[in-house]
Amino acid sequence: DTGVSQDPRHKITKRGQNVTFRCDPISEHNRLYWYRQTLGQGPEFLTYFQNEAQLEKSRLLSDRFSAERPKGSFSTLEIQRTEQGDSAMYLCASSSGGTNQPQHFGDGTRLSIL
Amino acid sequence: EDQVTQSPEALRLQEGESSSLNCSYTVSGLRGLFWYRQDPGKGPEFLFTLYSAGEEKEKERLKATLTKKESFLHITAPKPEDSATYLCAVFYTGNQFYFGTGTSLTVIP
């Protein structure tokens, strides 16, 4: 069990640029989740996949955000035209079995917008 | 409005001084309550899942309990390595996990 892997760990970019993050879940986990966490807050749900299907998206997820999970394995989260408010830690989690099973998190990608 | 509230926001304990963290929730249709530990710069680490009122789980110095309105994380004789932020999350009808803002625990040697 190698755990959930996220890449890169840190990303610094200028406002207006596009960024893409990658998440490799625990193998055989069919569910994959993306969260955003800012300092002093708990993770905020963004979206989740069951296999390759994106089943739910938060109202917080603007049109500038898009996520994919081709072939039901790794996932990517893209943010277009980044804004200052996008600065946060982006966390990925995966789980197996039913939707009420615990999620296991990666160590996140910290995004800083200059 | 559905809500998850954790208290206290911060807690400082002397090593060996037992205490409890609280997670109260007002969501309807609770399907699970989860406790996580988060160290600075790391992702949350899963600790416990509780599914029904009256359920208890234990792991080393930690014990989690659940009622119909709240959950407690009891820490017995804490050590400095227990210092972290403890998060609770609820899973309810709507297929979403909703996290509280956490309790920052510091254990002083």
Side-chain angles (χ1 to χ4, degrees), chain A:
Chain A
D1 180 356
T2 58
V4 178
S5 176
Q6 292 190 246
D7 184 70
R9 291 296 315 281
H10 304 276
K11 179 70 176 179
I12 301 173
T13 192
K14 294 181 179 180
R15 183 169 54 91
Q17 297 295 304
N18 299 343
V19 293
T20 300
F21 311 139
R22 177 180 170 122
C23 172
D24 288 272
I26 295 171
S27 59
E28 299 175 1
H29 277 193
N30 59 336
R31 297 178 192 273
L32 186 147
Y33 302 78
W34 284 100
Y35 291 84
R36 178 172 62 193
Q37 187 177 27
T38 53
L39 198 62
Q41 300 297 312
E44 286 181 299
F45 170 81
L46 294 178
T47 188
Y48 101 91
F49 293 82
Q50 180 171 320
N51 299 314
E52 67 275 10
Q54 187 173 19
L55 295 187
E56 193 141 353
K57 294 169 63 173
S58 167
R59 295 186 302 273
L60 301 172
L61 208 62
S62 79
D63 292 343
R64 297 184 297 106
F65 288 69
S66 63
E68 294 182 341
R69 193 185 183 195
K71 303 178 182 179
S73 56
F74 72 93
S75 176
T76 58
L77 177 68
E78 181 182 17
I79 309 174
Q80 296 182 327
R81 304 180 303 281
T82 53
E83 302 173 356
Q84 292 284 353
D86 296 332
S87 294
M89 175 78 86
Y90 290 84
L91 292 163
C92 175
S94 67
S95 69
S96 62
T99 50
N100 62 346
Q101 294 302 303
Q103 298 173 18
H104 298 273
F105 284 80
D107 284 336
T109 293
R110 180 164 296 283
L111 175 64
S112 299
I113 307 297
L114 301 178

Side-chain angles (χ1 to χ4, degrees), chain B residues 83-94:
Chain B
S83 297
T85 295
Y86 291 84
L87 297 161
C88 77
V90 297
F91 180 71
Y92 59 105
T93 51

Side-chain angles (χ1 to χ4, degrees), chain B residues 18-47:
Chain B
S18 302
S19 187
S20 295
L21 313 182
N22 177 264
C23 172
S24 63
Y25 60 92
T26 58
V27 300
S28 55
L30 181 75
R31 296 172 59 186
L33 186 142
F34 304 81
W35 282 98
Y36 287 84
R37 168 194 171 125
Q38 187 171 28
D39 292 300
K42 300 286 190 179
E45 175 188 348
F46 171 69
L47 294 173

